[in-house]
């Protein structure tokens, strides 16, 4: 497995994984994660820009079977985000999405993606990395805890029914 920064020509191979992470989140919490249209297409131009953004961390994990071209089996996308101006912390790294293909899980690829992202954010110079993880997503919560993240705020949601 090779974990490396994504290049523009990786984007088409990442989009199927974007669709999977979107469907995964939508299944767990449709009130929070319902997409206007195909999430792959919604991400395409944004991901393309992130491949040359100094303030973004866009990594892919690829594997090469003997005699075959490398195949992207995981990705992570993060950006530097501004904090609101009342706080002393001005900006932080934010991990938006992470996915490792089913057949390649439990091999340490997720950990490598997250640890390399932390390293990149540290080089960028932010003092903190944050992310959202669904409470029910135990594998991801364990992975992030194993990489040094702690739980902070718990987001609470209450659906309101629209009047007729
Ligand atoms: C979460 C995910 C990225 C983990 O990828 P992975 O490559 O299998 O993770 P790793 O092999 O690097 O595991 C690292 C650690 O994470 C934890 N972990 C990973 N999968 C786990 C599982 N199914 N159950 C419990 N803990 C798990 C363990 O602490 C593990 O350490 P260990 O191997 O020493 O026990 C992968 O399951 C995935 O893509 N899930 C769906 C998408 C998702 O949840 N994305 C994150 C939210 S944006």
């Amino acid at each position: 497995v090779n974990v490396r920064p994504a290049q523009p020509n990786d984007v088409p191979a990442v989009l199927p994984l974007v669709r999977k992470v979107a469907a995964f989140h939508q299944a767990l919490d449709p009130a929070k994660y319902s997409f206007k249209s195909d999430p792959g297409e919604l991400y395409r131009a944004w991901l393309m820009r992130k491949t040359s953004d100094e303030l973004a961390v866009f990594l892919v994990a690829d594997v090469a079977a003997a005699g075959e071209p490398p195949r992207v089996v995981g990705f992570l996308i993060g950006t530097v985000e501004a904090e609101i101006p009342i706080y002393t912390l001005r900006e932080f790294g934010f991990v938006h999405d992470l996915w490792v293909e089913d057949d390649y899980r439990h091999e340490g690829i997720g950990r490598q993606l997250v640890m390399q992202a932390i390293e990149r954010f540290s080089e960028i110079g932010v003092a903190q990395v944050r992310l959202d993880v669904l409470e029910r997503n135990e594998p991801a919560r364990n992975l992030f805890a194993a990489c040094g993240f702690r739980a902070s705020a718990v987001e609470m949601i209450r659906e309101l029914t629209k009047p007729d």
Side-chain angles (χ1 to χ4, degrees):
V1 181
N2 180 28
V3 172
R4 57 173 177 82
Q7 305 296 321
N9 63 5
D10 291 313
V11 171
V14 171
L15 298 186
L17 312 194
V18 166
R19 293 186 180 103
K20 288 183 194 178
V21 74
F24 174 78
H25 282 134
Q26 187 156 359
L28 286 176
D29 195 339
K32 188 167 162 75
Y33 302 105
S34 283
F35 296 84
K36 289 180 180 169
S37 55
D38 169 29
E41 287 313 315
L42 292 171
Y43 269 60
R44 186 190 294 274
W46 181 70
L47 284 179
M48 203 56 97
R49 289 196 300 278
K50 296 300 137 189
T51 60
S52 58
D53 184 342
E54 302 271 288
L55 298 179
V57 176
F58 181 12
L59 303 172
V60 290
D62 58 22
V63 290
E68 282 176 31
R71 186 162 91 81
V72 172
V73 299
F75 83 103
L76 178 151
I77 177 73
T79 55
V80 173
E81 296 295 318
E83 182 53 285
I84 58 172
I86 59 170
Y87 295 119
T88 54
L89 187 87
R90 288 170 55 178
E91 52 191 15
F92 53 89
F94 189 80
V95 176
H96 296 272
D97 289 299
L98 165 68
W99 182 266
V100 174
E101 289 282 55
D102 262 317
D103 291 350
Y104 294 88
R105 289 187 186 167
H106 308 291
E107 292 178 17
I109 298 176
R111 190 192 292 259
Q112 278 192 63
L113 284 163
V114 173
M115 293 312 291
Q116 224 183 91
I118 293 169
E119 212 174 287
R120 258 305 286 143
F121 276 125
S122 153
E123 285 163 8
I124 288 172
V126 294
Q128 202 175 94
V129 183
R130 299 180 185 176
L131 53 87
D132 291 334
V133 60
L134 288 175
E135 193 168 23
R136 280 190 285 166
N137 188 357
E138 209 179 316
R141 284 199 287 115
N142 286 340
L143 165 64
F144 295 128
C147 293
F149 287 81
R150 62 175 173 83
S152 176
V154 175
E155 183 178 47
M156 299 178 76
I157 298 180
R158 186 200 194 282
E159 263 85 57
L160 305 182
T161 45
K162 280 197 198 124
D164 294 329

